[in-house]
Amino acid sequence: MPDRPVSPAATPNDPLVSVVVPVLNEQDNVAPLVAEIRAAMAPVCAYEIVYVDDGSTDRTAAVLAELRASTPELRIVRHSRRAGQSAALRSGVSAARGRLIATLDGDRQNDPADIPKLLAVWQESERAGRPWIMVTGHRVNRRDTWAKRQASGVANAIRRTLLRDDNPDTGCSLKLYERALYLRMPYFDHMHRYLPALAQREGASVAIVPVNHRARESGASKYNNLGRALVGIPDLIGVIWLIRRAPRGLEAREVD
């Protein structure tokens, strides 16, 4: 396994964790989710919250602006037009100041109270001096429709067979990893669905943690099963190619 790459030296004011939340038309979910993130993270470590508004057309931008006045941890990135979840994630990670990135959906189905569990797994790996790690959530009790669960199960089975990433729920947005790891990955649209496999491509190990999942209480899903299938086939072929073309057994380190 490769050595853990050295991250840039942190300053005293940098947070350890940047919680990145891509969001599109979630005006009713913003304030409750920000409050939950603050409650989960405040007792644990220095953190920031980076919301990426992917061109919302409702009051999401206005609600975020109102919260910003009373929430010093909150930062806001806004896209000029809708670009998709992967683009929003990239914008958030690029803007983040933390060494670690924690991600979750803006619809409140992911539970921010699970972030400290993921962080504890990363910290254990850090103390052991192991190579870098991506910690991913596994929604063991999904609160989605039957059709969505079935479609996701089929897609996960196909992906696991072809990519051999051994991840039961790569679609769970609740993840934690080093910012430097993400920035090494090849970027493409819809890459957020393949982050565990791409992390393994970079020599990282992947840990899976059971997490809570909640039913959507407000707003509407931005995806449909057919749409995911249509974009998923060429993406899957592309990821297989990227994995096969990855350099093997290469170590690089700075010398004095």
Side-chain angles (χ1 to χ4, degrees):
M1 294 293 289
D3 294 333
R4 182 192 299 272
V6 177
S7 297
T11 70
N13 295 324
D14 282 343
L16 174 62
V17 178
S18 296
V19 182
V20 176
V21 188
V23 66
L24 173 67
N25 293 340
E26 297 286 1
Q27 61 182 23
D28 296 327
N29 288 316
V30 170
L33 185 57
V34 167
E36 288 185 312
I37 295 171
R38 297 181 78 186
M41 298 303 298
V44 177
C45 65
Y47 72 98
E48 66 177 359
I49 306 169
V50 182
Y51 257 77
V52 184
D53 181 2
D54 189 31
S56 294
T57 55
D58 64 355
R59 294 193 69 255
T60 294
V63 174
L64 283 168
E66 293 167 2
L67 282 173
R68 180 69 183 87
S70 59
T71 310
E73 303 90 353
L74 178 62
R75 299 171 59 208
I76 304 167
V77 177
R78 181 167 172 80
H79 284 172
S80 59
R81 59 175 178 81
R82 181 176 179 180
Q85 187 169 345
S86 285
L89 177 61
R90 183 175 176 82
S91 295
V93 174
S94 297
R97 301 188 183 113
R99 177 182 178 185
L100 302 178
I101 303 296
T103 60
L104 68 165
D105 282 334
D107 57 12
R108 297 187 68 206
Q109 290 195 260
N110 297 137
D111 190 347
D114 284 319
I115 297 176
K117 294 198 312 188
L118 274 61
L119 178 59
V121 173
W122 180 88
Q123 289 172 325
E124 180 181 354
S125 178
E126 174 79 353
R127 286 192 295 269
R130 301 190 187 104
W132 52 7
I133 185 173
M134 173 179 284
V135 189
T136 70
H138 177 201
R139 299 165 291 183
V140 291
N141 293 304
R142 286 190 64 173
R143 303 301 182 186
D144 287 320
T145 64
W146 179 87
K148 194 170 183 179
R149 293 197 307 271
Q150 291 297 111
S152 180
V154 171
N156 271 315
I158 294 172
R159 189 208 68 258
R160 291 174 71 183
T161 299
L162 296 179
L163 299 184
R164 300 178 182 177
D165 61 359
D166 198 29
N167 192 298
D169 191 14
T170 190
C172 179
S173 294
L174 188 55
K175 295 179 173 69
L176 184 138
Y177 44 83
E178 292 190 43
R179 180 175 182 268
L181 171 60
Y182 175 89
L183 294 176
R184 284 174 57 122
M185 297 178 190
Y187 171 74
F188 56 92
D189 200 12
H190 305 293
M191 72 173 287
H192 65 277
R193 299 192 180 107
Y194 302 96
L195 288 179
L198 294 172
Q200 290 174 338
R201 179 182 184 271
E202 298 299 330
S205 59
V206 177
I208 301 167
V209 176
V211 296
N212 188 27
H213 192 242
R214 308 181 292 195
R216 177 185 270 276
E217 296 184 1
S218 61
S221 174
K222 312 305 183 295
Y223 301 100
N224 61 70
N225 293 335
L226 177 60
R228 289 188 186 207
L230 291 177
V231 300
I233 295 172
D235 288 343
L236 184 56
I237 294 171
V239 173
I240 293 171
W241 181 87
L242 284 169
I243 291 173
R244 289 180 177 176
R245 298 297 292 173
R248 306 294 178 185
L250 175 66
E251 294 186 16
R253 65 181 66 187
E254 185 176 355
V255 296
D256 295 332

